[in-house]
Structure formats: C-alpha cells, structure tokens
Amino acid sequence: MAKKTYDLLFKLLLIGDSGVGKTCVLFRFSDDAFNTTFISTIGIDFKIKTVELQGKKIKLQIWDTAGQERFHTITTSYYRGAMGIMLVYDITNTKSFENISKWLRNIDEHANEDVERMLLGNKCDMEDKRIVPKAKGEQIAREHGIRFFETSAKANINIEKAFLTLAEDILRKVSSGMTD
C-alpha cells in the first residue's frame, strides 16, 4: 500500500456567482497560473495542493463550483464535508456582491455548522473599474464573523495568503478538537 504523503486532508470549497474568478483564484493558488480565456465551470472541478503548516503536511482538496443557477442542485451536495468555504465576489460587479447573502444562506442550509468561512473580493487589481468599496466587503464579513481579503488572481494579490489563512483556521479548529 502506498505511504500516505500527508497528515491531514481539508476539503475547501469556492462559491460565488459565475464570472467572479473562482477558477482563476484556484489556478493561481494551485498552479501559480493565470488564464485570460474564460470558460465557465461545468458542474464542479477540483485541484489538490499540499501545504505545510505547523509542521504538518496538509492536503488541500479545493473544489471549484459552478456559479450558474442551473448547476445549483449539483453543487449543494458538495457542501457536505467541506471544512472551509471561500465566498467570492467581483469588486467590479455589484450583483455578485449583493448575492453574497444568498450564498451565505446556502452555506447555512447545506454545510456543516462549524465550517470555516471566508469572504474574497476578487479582481482588486481593477481599481479603475471598482464598484464595490472595500469597506462594504469588510462590513459584511464583520456582520457574519468571517475573515475578508481582497484578492486578484491576475496580479497574484492575497491568493496564497487567503488559502493559507483558511487552512490555518481549520487546523486550529481540528487541533483543538483532538486530544493528544
């Protein structure tokens, strides 16, 4: 039997409206790549990246969900077992920000109640096209007691930091639940 190459496995989920950059965020983190050609995710896709935190090898299984309504029924089942969820909106798109409350409700309905959540305002490199002020993102994150980062997959701003922070938060929770 193959030796396990990691200590812990964390299932993470990227959710948010179609076109906010979930796939780009995922590819920037997993492959350090940015692709300008936009292909809508059909259903679900995932990547794996192993990181080291506090001396433990943690395998992050990151699921990228389709933001479109027609795939909604498929994606709800992927909430099960998720330990961390990143809600992504596009700072140049008001509707994607307004829909965050709907995505938060989805988490409440379908995910484990102790799931770690994080809000990402993506495309922060497009300051000239910004419609959603950073303060609005910070406010909704505060109201829901979740962390907030503005990110850019294109300019590689806060992508790694966001994933590692989420993984650390989960690790802290998992470690406090384990007795040595």
Side-chain angles (χ1 to χ4, degrees), residues 23-175:
T23 303
C24 291
V25 165
L26 175 60
F27 273 86
R28 172 58 79 190
F29 179 66
S30 64
D31 305 350
D32 196 20
F34 180 78
N35 191 340
T36 49
T37 51
F38 173 71
I39 302 159
S40 215
T41 304
I42 306 293
I44 199 123
D45 189 15
F46 78 93
K47 289 266 183 193
I48 288 183
K49 181 166 179 170
T50 304
V51 297
E52 196 155 320
L53 292 173
Q54 297 167 22
K56 290 201 182 324
K57 272 200 164 59
I58 299 168
K59 190 179 204 175
L60 301 177
Q61 188 184 56
I62 309 154
W63 295 80
D64 178 17
T65 62
Q68 292 143 304
E69 277 303 314
R70 64 183 170 166
F71 296 117
H72 186 67
T73 50
I74 318 172
T75 51
T76 53
S77 60
Y78 289 94
Y79 285 102
R80 280 196 287 278
M83 299 166 87
I85 297 179
M86 288 180 160
L87 291 107
V88 188
Y89 70 90
D90 170 354
I91 68 154
T92 70
N93 177 332
T94 313
K95 185 114 183 75
S96 73
F97 179 73
E98 289 167 354
N99 283 336
I100 287 297
S101 54
K102 178 191 80 173
W103 291 106
L104 282 163
R105 274 197 306 279
N106 275 352
I107 295 173
D108 292 342
E109 286 169 27
H110 303 291
N112 301 344
E113 57 192 51
D114 62 343
V115 71
E116 280 296 327
R117 301 170 304 168
M118 178 180 278
L119 182 63
L120 300 183
N122 197 33
K123 306 189 186 182
C124 72
D125 58 295
M126 297 169 69
E127 198 52 58
D128 55 327
K129 294 188 176 71
R130 175 190 289 274
I131 296 170
V132 182
K134 185 175 185 178
K136 275 191 146 175
E138 291 168 337
Q139 181 190 346
I140 201 166
R142 245 192 333 272
E143 287 168 8
H144 292 275
I146 57 180
R147 289 185 189 269
F148 171 71
F149 287 100
E150 281 204 336
T151 56
S152 165
K154 187 177 186 181
N156 199 4
I157 299 167
N158 281 339
I159 298 291
E160 182 134 345
K161 186 176 181 189
F163 277 99
L164 294 180
T165 302
L166 186 60
E168 279 173 2
D169 289 346
I170 296 167
L171 181 60
R172 203 171 301 117
K173 193 177 272 184
V174 168
S175 302

Side-chain angles (χ1 to χ4, degrees), residues 9-25:
L9 172 70
F10 293 171
K11 179 180 171 183
L12 307 180
L13 218 54
L14 284 161
I15 63 172
D17 284 10
S18 184
V20 297
K22 297 182 297 293
T23 303
C24 291
V25 165

